[in-house]
Amino acid sequence: MMEQLTRLLSISLGAILINNFIFSQFLGCCPFLGCSNKVETAAGMGLAVVFVMGIASAICYVVNMLLVALGLGFLQTLAFILVIAALVQFVEMFLKKMVPSLYAALGIYLPLITTNCAVLGVVLLNVQEDYNFIEAVVHGITGGLGFMLAIVLFASMRERIEFSEYPESFKGFPISLVTAGLLALAFMGFSGMKIF
Amino acid sequence: MTILYAVLVLGALGAIFGLILALAAKVFHVEVDPRQAAVRECLAGANCGGCGYPGCDGYAAAVAKGEAPGNKCVVVDPEVHDQIAQIMGVVNDAAEKKVAFVACSGGDGIAEPRFNYSGPRDCRAAMLFGGKSNKLCTFACIGMGNCVRVCSFDAMHLANGVARVNRSKCVGCGACVEACPKSIISLIPESLRIHPACRSRDKGASVTKMCKAGCIGCMKCQRECPAEAIVVKDFLPEVDPEKCTGCGHCAEVCPRGIITDFYQ
């Protein structure tokens, strides 16, 4: 039991800091750059990703068991994309009816997640690392939390950069990319760390 | 055999998900007023907020509920307002198109600077230092372009350190009016031909020290106006749009050249 908990903790810390989806795996860079103009929208996007990654990990675990049992492991990517697309659609409909306030807060970001490679990445990693059901779900949720941490940090930096002086030629995306690079460098400090 | 399995499994997965989604669409169906979608179709989709509602969807919802009139969208052509009125089954009372106007002429070299400012390019930031303005005249345009940045229609620009409006692009959404910390931008009817481009209510003598273009309240426009449409109040002319014939005489006689004649 104790051993199981330690393992979950190490998976969580790994997904949030050491193997952060954006800064060390380079997954989900598109929404990371696209939805980080304001801290508010960045947090909304982060929440939506946590939500979908957690549920996708759970369902894809079951689907993967089915595929492996039938000897169809090579269909993983295809099947997972199908699951994620259907799942996002379902979650959107569910939230619209049951939790309209959350639906309004997430807004356009919910359907956008369908094309977020971090979600596909987390389910494929679950298979690669041979996680069991609980580990897979924990990995999914904490991976989403890592994404949220990264995007909120980045958005608050971008908000400050808006009002500072920098060369004209860096305006817009160039300065954002430089900032993202420096932030990724900072996260490099975690790499190679070993927990327990 | 593997191919058969693969086709079957993926087909079955797709069918199951499709079925679940179809069921979910029924179970979680949310009733939406069909008129809301029809109204939304008519709108421009610029999400500028000029109507006072959060985006085009928010406005369409308010119209469908009968909470908002159908002619609030400033971006679309007036004919579309009639279309929306038709969808809602009401009569459209037309509103005149308005455009933004910047009431300041004190550009670089015209209005005297108060201090040398090299901070963030933001009007509110520049106002934080003594005197509430970076120019001696406290009514002057700061010229850091807060209005330019909020304009979704590329209708605002800075010319010689003062904000200017491109009237052919302006849709009158009023975003710049909100953004201007000096409150020198206002929405005026597009047909109003004459408007003074100054907001200074200082006395003439002090205005001449601060700005080469500011209104000194000489009252020449009031005396010369053949239609008696101009009244100078607190050293600043006010044009009565009802009486103004748009002859442009005031713009010609103004010794400071700040009365703008839009047909010139």
Side-chain angles (χ1 to χ4, degrees), chain B:
Chain B
M1 208 54 197
T2 324
I3 296 177
L4 191 66
Y5 269 146
V7 172
L8 279 179
V9 167
L10 269 195
L13 270 181
I16 292 170
F17 287 140
L19 218 65
I20 293 177
L21 282 183
L23 271 177
K26 277 264 184 295
V27 175
F28 298 121
H29 182 67
V30 181
E31 289 288 340
V32 179
D33 193 336
R35 292 179 304 180
Q36 183 183 333
V39 170
R40 176 66 186 81
E41 281 288 296
C42 296
L43 300 175
N47 288 317
C48 65
C51 52
Y53 290 87
C56 296
D57 286 317
Y59 175 58
V63 171
K65 276 188 202 150
E67 288 169 0
N71 56 12
K72 286 273 188 180
C73 182
V74 289
V75 184
V76 294
D77 294 327
E79 297 95 71
V80 180
H81 292 159
D82 294 335
Q83 269 180 40
I84 295 174
Q86 230 169 34
I87 293 168
M88 295 301 297
V90 293
V91 180
N92 173 32
D93 18 78
E96 212 206 326
K97 193 193 169 195
K98 292 194 167 182
V99 289
F101 178 77
V102 184
C104 181
S105 308
D108 297 334
I110 297 172
E112 291 296 323
R114 186 181 290 262
F115 47 76
N116 220 339
Y117 179 74
S118 60
R121 300 282 298 168
D122 183 271
C123 298
R124 286 183 192 279
M127 276 169 63
L128 290 176
F129 303 96
K132 302 221 161 201
S133 178
N134 56 346
K135 291 165 182 167
L136 274 181
C137 172
T138 50
F139 297 92
C141 173
I142 311 277
M144 297 288 162
N146 277 19
C147 48
V148 178
R149 283 188 288 277
V150 297
C151 183
S152 314
F153 303 96
D154 194 27
M156 299 291 293
H157 59 275
L158 291 174
N160 192 28
V162 176
R164 282 288 169 257
V165 182
N166 182 342
R167 282 164 73 95
S168 57
K169 282 184 180 169
C170 179
V171 299
C173 69
C176 50
V177 178
E178 293 279 315
C180 179
K182 280 282 159 196
S183 303
I184 53 170
I185 306 181
S186 54
L187 292 178
I188 60 171
E190 197 179 21
S191 60
L192 183 59
R193 191 177 155 175
I194 301 295
H195 212 75
C198 182
R199 265 285 164 87
S200 168
R201 295 191 186 274
D202 290 328
K203 286 181 182 159
S206 57
V207 172
T208 43
K209 282 182 203 140
M210 296 189 286
C211 182
K212 291 197 183 85
C215 176
I216 49 174
C218 67
M219 304 184 77
K220 192 162 186 185
C221 47
Q222 180 178 343
R223 283 196 307 274
E224 298 256 347
C225 179
E228 295 180 353
I230 301 183
V231 180
V232 176
K233 256 191 219 157
D234 297 334
F235 311 102
L236 199 58
E238 278 175 17
V239 183
D240 185 346
E242 300 278 309
K243 288 185 188 161
C244 178
T245 57
C247 64
H249 185 60
C250 49
E252 285 165 24
V253 297
C254 177
R256 312 285 280 176
I258 52 154
I259 295 186
T260 316
D261 181 348
F262 287 112
Y263 288 83
Q264 281 284 307

Side-chain angles (χ1 to χ4, degrees), chain A residues 59 63 66-67 70-72 74-75 78-79 82-83 85-87 89-90 93-94 96-98 162-165, chain B residues 2-3 5-7 9-10 13-14 17 20-22 24-30 32 118-122 149:
Chain A
I59 295 184
V63 169
L66 180 78
L67 289 180
L70 290 168
L72 294 170
F74 59 89
L75 281 181
L78 207 59
L82 194 66
V83 171
L87 184 69
Q89 280 285 319
F90 181 81
M93 280 191 273
F94 177 81
K96 197 172 182 182
K97 175 85 175 180
M98 296 305 183
E162 277 285 294
F163 290 114
S164 35
E165 285 212 356
Chain B
T2 324
I3 296 177
Y5 269 146
V7 172
V9 167
L10 269 195
L13 270 181
F17 287 140
I20 293 177
L21 282 183
K26 277 264 184 295
V27 175
F28 298 121
H29 182 67
V30 181
V32 179
S118 60
R121 300 282 298 168
D122 183 271
R149 283 188 288 277

